Short mmCIF file of all heavy atoms in Angstrom, two decimals:
data_model
loop_
_atom_site.label_atom_id
_atom_site.label_comp_id
_atom_site.label_asym_id
_atom_site.label_seq_id
_atom_site.Cartn_x
_atom_site.Cartn_y
_atom_site.Cartn_z
N ILE A 1 -54.11 41.81 40.92
CA ILE A 1 -54.33 40.93 39.81
C ILE A 1 -54.38 41.79 38.52
O ILE A 1 -55.23 42.68 38.40
CB ILE A 1 -55.65 40.14 39.94
CG1 ILE A 1 -55.64 39.33 41.25
CG2 ILE A 1 -55.86 39.23 38.75
CD1 ILE A 1 -56.94 38.63 41.55
N VAL A 2 -53.46 41.51 37.63
CA VAL A 2 -53.39 42.25 36.38
C VAL A 2 -53.80 41.28 35.27
O VAL A 2 -53.23 40.17 35.13
CB VAL A 2 -51.96 42.73 36.10
CG1 VAL A 2 -51.92 43.50 34.79
CG2 VAL A 2 -51.47 43.62 37.26
N SER A 3 -54.81 41.66 34.49
CA SER A 3 -55.30 40.73 33.47
C SER A 3 -55.52 41.45 32.15
O SER A 3 -55.80 42.64 32.08
CB SER A 3 -56.61 40.08 33.95
OG SER A 3 -57.57 41.03 34.33
N ASN A 4 -55.38 40.67 31.10
CA ASN A 4 -55.64 41.12 29.72
C ASN A 4 -56.57 40.07 29.09
O ASN A 4 -56.18 38.92 28.97
CB ASN A 4 -54.33 41.24 28.97
CG ASN A 4 -54.55 41.56 27.50
OD1 ASN A 4 -55.56 42.09 27.09
ND2 ASN A 4 -53.57 41.15 26.67
N TYR A 5 -57.76 40.48 28.73
CA TYR A 5 -58.70 39.50 28.21
C TYR A 5 -59.57 40.12 27.10
O TYR A 5 -59.72 41.34 27.00
CB TYR A 5 -59.59 38.94 29.31
CG TYR A 5 -60.42 39.98 30.09
CD1 TYR A 5 -61.74 40.24 29.75
CD2 TYR A 5 -59.88 40.67 31.15
CE1 TYR A 5 -62.50 41.13 30.44
CE2 TYR A 5 -60.63 41.59 31.88
CZ TYR A 5 -61.94 41.81 31.52
OH TYR A 5 -62.69 42.74 32.23
N GLY A 6 -60.12 39.23 26.30
CA GLY A 6 -60.95 39.66 25.18
C GLY A 6 -62.41 39.30 25.39
O GLY A 6 -62.74 38.18 25.83
N THR A 7 -63.31 40.21 25.08
CA THR A 7 -64.74 39.95 25.13
C THR A 7 -65.27 40.07 23.70
O THR A 7 -64.56 40.43 22.77
CB THR A 7 -65.47 40.92 26.07
OG1 THR A 7 -65.13 42.26 25.71
CG2 THR A 7 -65.01 40.69 27.50
N ASP A 8 -66.57 39.79 23.53
CA ASP A 8 -67.13 39.69 22.18
C ASP A 8 -67.96 40.92 21.85
O ASP A 8 -68.82 41.33 22.66
CB ASP A 8 -68.04 38.47 22.09
CG ASP A 8 -67.27 37.17 22.25
OD1 ASP A 8 -66.07 37.13 21.94
OD2 ASP A 8 -67.87 36.17 22.68
N PRO A 9 -67.78 41.47 20.62
CA PRO A 9 -68.75 42.42 20.13
C PRO A 9 -70.08 41.75 19.92
O PRO A 9 -70.15 40.51 19.87
CB PRO A 9 -68.13 42.89 18.82
CG PRO A 9 -66.72 42.41 18.84
CD PRO A 9 -66.69 41.22 19.71
N VAL A 10 -71.14 42.48 19.80
CA VAL A 10 -72.47 41.92 19.60
C VAL A 10 -72.48 41.05 18.34
O VAL A 10 -72.01 41.50 17.27
CB VAL A 10 -73.53 43.02 19.51
CG1 VAL A 10 -74.90 42.41 19.18
CG2 VAL A 10 -73.59 43.80 20.80
N GLY A 11 -72.93 39.84 18.46
CA GLY A 11 -73.05 38.94 17.32
C GLY A 11 -71.79 38.25 16.91
O GLY A 11 -71.78 37.51 15.90
N GLU A 12 -70.71 38.40 17.69
CA GLU A 12 -69.44 37.77 17.36
C GLU A 12 -69.06 36.75 18.43
O GLU A 12 -69.56 36.78 19.58
CB GLU A 12 -68.32 38.84 17.21
CG GLU A 12 -68.63 39.92 16.20
CD GLU A 12 -68.43 39.42 14.76
OE1 GLU A 12 -67.80 38.37 14.60
OE2 GLU A 12 -68.89 40.12 13.83
N ASN A 13 -68.13 35.86 18.13
CA ASN A 13 -67.60 34.91 19.08
C ASN A 13 -66.10 34.77 18.89
O ASN A 13 -65.63 34.09 17.96
CB ASN A 13 -68.29 33.54 18.91
CG ASN A 13 -67.82 32.53 19.91
OD1 ASN A 13 -67.03 32.81 20.84
ND2 ASN A 13 -68.32 31.30 19.81
N TYR A 14 -65.35 35.39 19.79
CA TYR A 14 -63.90 35.34 19.76
C TYR A 14 -63.28 34.40 20.80
O TYR A 14 -62.10 34.41 21.02
CB TYR A 14 -63.32 36.76 19.93
CG TYR A 14 -63.39 37.58 18.66
CD1 TYR A 14 -64.45 38.48 18.46
CD2 TYR A 14 -62.42 37.44 17.68
CE1 TYR A 14 -64.51 39.26 17.33
CE2 TYR A 14 -62.50 38.23 16.52
CZ TYR A 14 -63.55 39.11 16.33
OH TYR A 14 -63.61 39.88 15.18
N GLY A 15 -64.14 33.62 21.45
CA GLY A 15 -63.62 32.51 22.24
C GLY A 15 -63.41 32.75 23.73
O GLY A 15 -62.81 31.92 24.40
N GLY A 16 -63.89 33.87 24.25
CA GLY A 16 -63.74 34.13 25.69
C GLY A 16 -64.86 33.60 26.50
O GLY A 16 -64.68 33.23 27.71
N ASP A 17 -66.05 33.49 25.95
CA ASP A 17 -67.25 33.06 26.65
C ASP A 17 -67.43 31.55 26.48
O ASP A 17 -67.78 31.08 25.40
CB ASP A 17 -68.47 33.79 26.11
CG ASP A 17 -69.73 33.51 26.92
OD1 ASP A 17 -69.71 32.60 27.76
OD2 ASP A 17 -70.72 34.25 26.72
N VAL A 18 -67.19 30.78 27.55
CA VAL A 18 -67.25 29.33 27.43
C VAL A 18 -68.64 28.81 27.23
O VAL A 18 -68.86 27.61 26.93
CB VAL A 18 -66.63 28.67 28.69
CG1 VAL A 18 -65.19 29.11 28.86
CG2 VAL A 18 -67.44 28.95 29.95
N LEU A 19 -69.67 29.66 27.39
CA LEU A 19 -71.04 29.21 27.21
C LEU A 19 -71.45 29.17 25.75
O LEU A 19 -72.43 28.52 25.37
CB LEU A 19 -72.01 30.17 27.95
CG LEU A 19 -71.81 30.33 29.46
CD1 LEU A 19 -72.80 31.29 30.02
CD2 LEU A 19 -71.91 28.98 30.16
N LYS A 20 -70.67 29.85 24.87
CA LYS A 20 -71.05 29.95 23.45
C LYS A 20 -70.57 28.72 22.68
O LYS A 20 -69.50 28.15 22.93
CB LYS A 20 -70.46 31.20 22.84
CG LYS A 20 -71.11 32.52 23.30
CD LYS A 20 -70.53 33.68 22.58
CE LYS A 20 -71.22 34.98 23.00
NZ LYS A 20 -70.69 36.17 22.26
N ASP A 21 -71.40 28.31 21.73
CA ASP A 21 -71.08 27.21 20.83
C ASP A 21 -69.87 27.62 19.95
O ASP A 21 -69.89 28.65 19.31
CB ASP A 21 -72.29 26.93 19.92
CG ASP A 21 -72.06 25.81 18.92
OD1 ASP A 21 -70.93 25.34 18.78
OD2 ASP A 21 -73.05 25.44 18.24
N TYR A 22 -68.78 26.79 20.00
CA TYR A 22 -67.61 27.21 19.25
C TYR A 22 -67.79 27.15 17.75
O TYR A 22 -66.97 27.66 16.99
CB TYR A 22 -66.37 26.44 19.69
CG TYR A 22 -66.37 24.93 19.59
CD1 TYR A 22 -66.96 24.25 18.51
CD2 TYR A 22 -65.76 24.14 20.57
CE1 TYR A 22 -66.94 22.88 18.38
CE2 TYR A 22 -65.72 22.75 20.47
CZ TYR A 22 -66.32 22.14 19.36
OH TYR A 22 -66.31 20.77 19.29
N ASN A 23 -68.86 26.54 17.28
CA ASN A 23 -69.19 26.54 15.86
C ASN A 23 -69.63 27.91 15.35
O ASN A 23 -69.68 28.15 14.16
CB ASN A 23 -70.23 25.51 15.52
CG ASN A 23 -69.72 24.09 15.67
OD1 ASN A 23 -68.60 23.75 15.27
ND2 ASN A 23 -70.51 23.22 16.32
N THR A 24 -69.92 28.83 16.29
CA THR A 24 -70.31 30.20 15.93
C THR A 24 -69.10 31.10 15.89
O THR A 24 -69.26 32.36 15.87
CB THR A 24 -71.37 30.73 16.89
OG1 THR A 24 -70.79 30.86 18.21
CG2 THR A 24 -72.56 29.82 16.96
N ARG A 25 -67.87 30.53 15.93
CA ARG A 25 -66.67 31.33 16.01
C ARG A 25 -66.54 32.32 14.84
O ARG A 25 -67.01 32.06 13.71
CB ARG A 25 -65.43 30.43 16.05
CG ARG A 25 -65.31 29.50 14.83
CD ARG A 25 -64.14 28.51 15.04
NE ARG A 25 -64.12 27.52 13.93
CZ ARG A 25 -64.81 26.43 13.92
NH1 ARG A 25 -65.62 26.10 14.91
NH2 ARG A 25 -64.69 25.59 12.88
N THR A 26 -65.93 33.42 15.10
CA THR A 26 -65.79 34.49 14.07
C THR A 26 -64.77 34.09 13.01
O THR A 26 -64.94 34.41 11.82
CB THR A 26 -65.36 35.78 14.74
OG1 THR A 26 -66.37 36.19 15.65
CG2 THR A 26 -65.17 36.91 13.72
N GLN A 27 -63.71 33.37 13.40
CA GLN A 27 -62.64 33.05 12.41
C GLN A 27 -61.97 31.74 12.80
O GLN A 27 -61.95 31.35 13.99
CB GLN A 27 -61.60 34.16 12.36
CG GLN A 27 -60.97 34.47 13.70
CD GLN A 27 -60.24 35.80 13.72
OE1 GLN A 27 -60.50 36.65 12.91
NE2 GLN A 27 -59.28 35.92 14.64
N ASP A 28 -61.45 31.04 11.82
CA ASP A 28 -60.73 29.77 12.04
C ASP A 28 -59.26 30.01 12.34
O ASP A 28 -58.63 29.30 13.14
CB ASP A 28 -60.84 28.87 10.82
CG ASP A 28 -62.23 28.22 10.70
OD1 ASP A 28 -62.98 28.24 11.71
OD2 ASP A 28 -62.59 27.77 9.62
N TYR A 29 -58.69 31.02 11.69
CA TYR A 29 -57.24 31.28 11.86
C TYR A 29 -57.04 32.76 12.31
O TYR A 29 -57.95 33.56 12.24
CB TYR A 29 -56.49 31.03 10.56
CG TYR A 29 -56.42 29.55 10.23
CD1 TYR A 29 -57.38 28.94 9.41
CD2 TYR A 29 -55.38 28.76 10.72
CE1 TYR A 29 -57.33 27.59 9.12
CE2 TYR A 29 -55.31 27.39 10.41
CZ TYR A 29 -56.27 26.83 9.63
OH TYR A 29 -56.21 25.48 9.34
N GLY A 30 -55.82 33.01 12.74
CA GLY A 30 -55.49 34.36 13.23
C GLY A 30 -55.98 34.63 14.62
O GLY A 30 -56.09 35.77 15.02
N ASN A 31 -56.26 33.56 15.39
CA ASN A 31 -56.75 33.75 16.74
C ASN A 31 -55.59 33.95 17.73
O ASN A 31 -54.64 33.17 17.75
CB ASN A 31 -57.55 32.52 17.20
CG ASN A 31 -58.83 32.38 16.41
OD1 ASN A 31 -59.83 33.09 16.60
ND2 ASN A 31 -58.83 31.43 15.44
N THR A 32 -55.69 34.99 18.55
CA THR A 32 -54.66 35.32 19.55
C THR A 32 -55.31 35.58 20.90
O THR A 32 -56.50 35.90 20.98
CB THR A 32 -53.86 36.56 19.11
OG1 THR A 32 -54.76 37.67 18.96
CG2 THR A 32 -53.10 36.29 17.82
N ILE A 33 -54.53 35.41 21.94
CA ILE A 33 -55.03 35.66 23.30
C ILE A 33 -55.38 37.11 23.48
O ILE A 33 -54.57 38.01 23.21
CB ILE A 33 -54.02 35.19 24.32
CG1 ILE A 33 -53.82 33.67 24.23
CG2 ILE A 33 -54.46 35.56 25.74
CD1 ILE A 33 -52.67 33.15 25.06
N GLY A 34 -56.59 37.41 23.97
CA GLY A 34 -57.04 38.77 24.19
C GLY A 34 -57.75 39.35 23.00
O GLY A 34 -58.07 40.53 22.98
N GLN A 35 -58.03 38.54 21.97
CA GLN A 35 -58.70 39.05 20.74
C GLN A 35 -60.12 39.43 21.02
O GLN A 35 -60.70 39.11 22.05
CB GLN A 35 -58.63 37.98 19.67
CG GLN A 35 -59.46 36.75 19.96
CD GLN A 35 -59.35 35.68 18.86
OE1 GLN A 35 -58.60 35.83 17.87
NE2 GLN A 35 -60.11 34.63 19.00
N GLY A 36 -60.75 40.08 20.05
CA GLY A 36 -62.07 40.61 20.22
C GLY A 36 -61.99 42.04 20.78
O GLY A 36 -61.10 42.82 20.38
N VAL A 37 -62.85 42.39 21.70
CA VAL A 37 -62.78 43.67 22.38
C VAL A 37 -61.73 43.52 23.51
O VAL A 37 -61.93 42.80 24.48
CB VAL A 37 -64.15 44.07 22.98
CG1 VAL A 37 -64.01 45.40 23.70
CG2 VAL A 37 -65.18 44.17 21.86
N GLY A 38 -60.61 44.21 23.37
CA GLY A 38 -59.52 44.11 24.32
C GLY A 38 -59.86 44.81 25.64
O GLY A 38 -60.45 45.87 25.68
N ASN A 39 -59.49 44.14 26.74
CA ASN A 39 -59.69 44.72 28.08
C ASN A 39 -58.40 44.53 28.91
O ASN A 39 -57.82 43.45 28.96
CB ASN A 39 -60.82 43.94 28.82
CG ASN A 39 -62.17 44.11 28.11
OD1 ASN A 39 -62.93 45.00 28.43
ND2 ASN A 39 -62.43 43.20 27.17
N GLN A 40 -57.94 45.63 29.51
CA GLN A 40 -56.85 45.57 30.43
C GLN A 40 -57.39 45.94 31.81
O GLN A 40 -58.08 46.97 31.97
CB GLN A 40 -55.73 46.56 30.01
CG GLN A 40 -55.01 46.20 28.71
CD GLN A 40 -55.87 46.49 27.51
OE1 GLN A 40 -56.47 47.59 27.39
NE2 GLN A 40 -55.92 45.59 26.55
N GLN A 41 -57.08 45.11 32.78
CA GLN A 41 -57.74 45.28 34.08
C GLN A 41 -56.73 45.15 35.24
O GLN A 41 -55.84 44.27 35.21
CB GLN A 41 -58.85 44.25 34.25
CG GLN A 41 -59.64 44.37 35.56
CD GLN A 41 -60.86 43.45 35.54
OE1 GLN A 41 -61.79 43.67 34.77
NE2 GLN A 41 -60.83 42.44 36.40
N LEU A 42 -56.86 46.02 36.20
CA LEU A 42 -56.13 45.93 37.46
C LEU A 42 -57.10 45.80 38.59
O LEU A 42 -58.03 46.60 38.76
CB LEU A 42 -55.28 47.21 37.66
CG LEU A 42 -54.57 47.32 39.03
CD1 LEU A 42 -53.53 46.20 39.24
CD2 LEU A 42 -53.90 48.72 39.18
N TYR A 43 -56.91 44.76 39.38
CA TYR A 43 -57.76 44.48 40.55
C TYR A 43 -56.87 44.43 41.81
O TYR A 43 -55.94 43.64 41.87
CB TYR A 43 -58.50 43.18 40.36
CG TYR A 43 -59.38 42.77 41.55
CD1 TYR A 43 -60.72 43.07 41.57
CD2 TYR A 43 -58.88 42.04 42.60
CE1 TYR A 43 -61.54 42.68 42.61
CE2 TYR A 43 -59.66 41.63 43.65
CZ TYR A 43 -61.01 41.97 43.65
OH TYR A 43 -61.79 41.59 44.71
N VAL A 44 -57.14 45.30 42.78
CA VAL A 44 -56.38 45.36 44.02
C VAL A 44 -57.35 45.16 45.19
O VAL A 44 -58.38 45.87 45.27
CB VAL A 44 -55.59 46.67 44.18
CG1 VAL A 44 -54.84 46.71 45.47
CG2 VAL A 44 -54.63 46.84 43.00
N ASP A 45 -57.01 44.25 46.06
CA ASP A 45 -57.89 43.94 47.22
C ASP A 45 -57.02 43.95 48.48
O ASP A 45 -56.09 43.10 48.60
CB ASP A 45 -58.53 42.56 47.00
CG ASP A 45 -59.49 42.16 48.14
OD1 ASP A 45 -59.55 42.86 49.14
OD2 ASP A 45 -60.16 41.11 48.00
N MET A 46 -57.26 44.88 49.36
CA MET A 46 -56.52 44.96 50.60
C MET A 46 -57.46 44.77 51.80
O MET A 46 -58.49 45.44 51.88
CB MET A 46 -55.80 46.31 50.69
CG MET A 46 -54.79 46.58 49.63
SD MET A 46 -54.06 48.20 49.71
CE MET A 46 -55.43 49.22 49.20
N MET A 47 -57.10 43.87 52.70
CA MET A 47 -57.99 43.57 53.82
C MET A 47 -57.18 43.36 55.09
O MET A 47 -56.16 42.67 55.10
CB MET A 47 -58.82 42.30 53.53
CG MET A 47 -59.85 41.99 54.62
SD MET A 47 -61.07 40.72 54.15
CE MET A 47 -60.02 39.27 54.23
N ALA A 48 -57.67 43.97 56.14
CA ALA A 48 -57.18 43.75 57.50
C ALA A 48 -58.28 43.01 58.27
O ALA A 48 -59.40 43.52 58.37
CB ALA A 48 -56.81 45.06 58.18
#
């Protein structure tokens, strides 16, 4: 599983956390997928 996602700096709301009130958003425009603190992740799970 390869993922690219954005998390929030302290005191900010860039839209990744569904628990946060969207009225606390950091910006109205210029929003892109993966904004905020960028994270690139590789998850590999092998099982026999």
Side-chain angles (χ1 to χ4, degrees):
I1 304 174
V2 181
S3 54
N4 173 24
Y5 59 96
T7 53
D8 295 334
V10 176
E12 302 285 345
N13 183 3
Y14 282 97
D17 188 347
V18 302
L19 302 179
K20 290 184 176 180
D21 179 353
Y22 59 40
N23 291 316
T24 65
R25 58 187 176 274
T26 299
Q27 57 195 22
D28 285 342
Y29 289 92
N31 293 285
T32 58
I33 295 171
Q35 66 182 4
V37 179
N39 297 267
Q40 293 75 46
Q41 183 171 292
L42 172 63
Y43 177 94
V44 178
D45 182 353
M46 297 177 290
M47 185 169 73

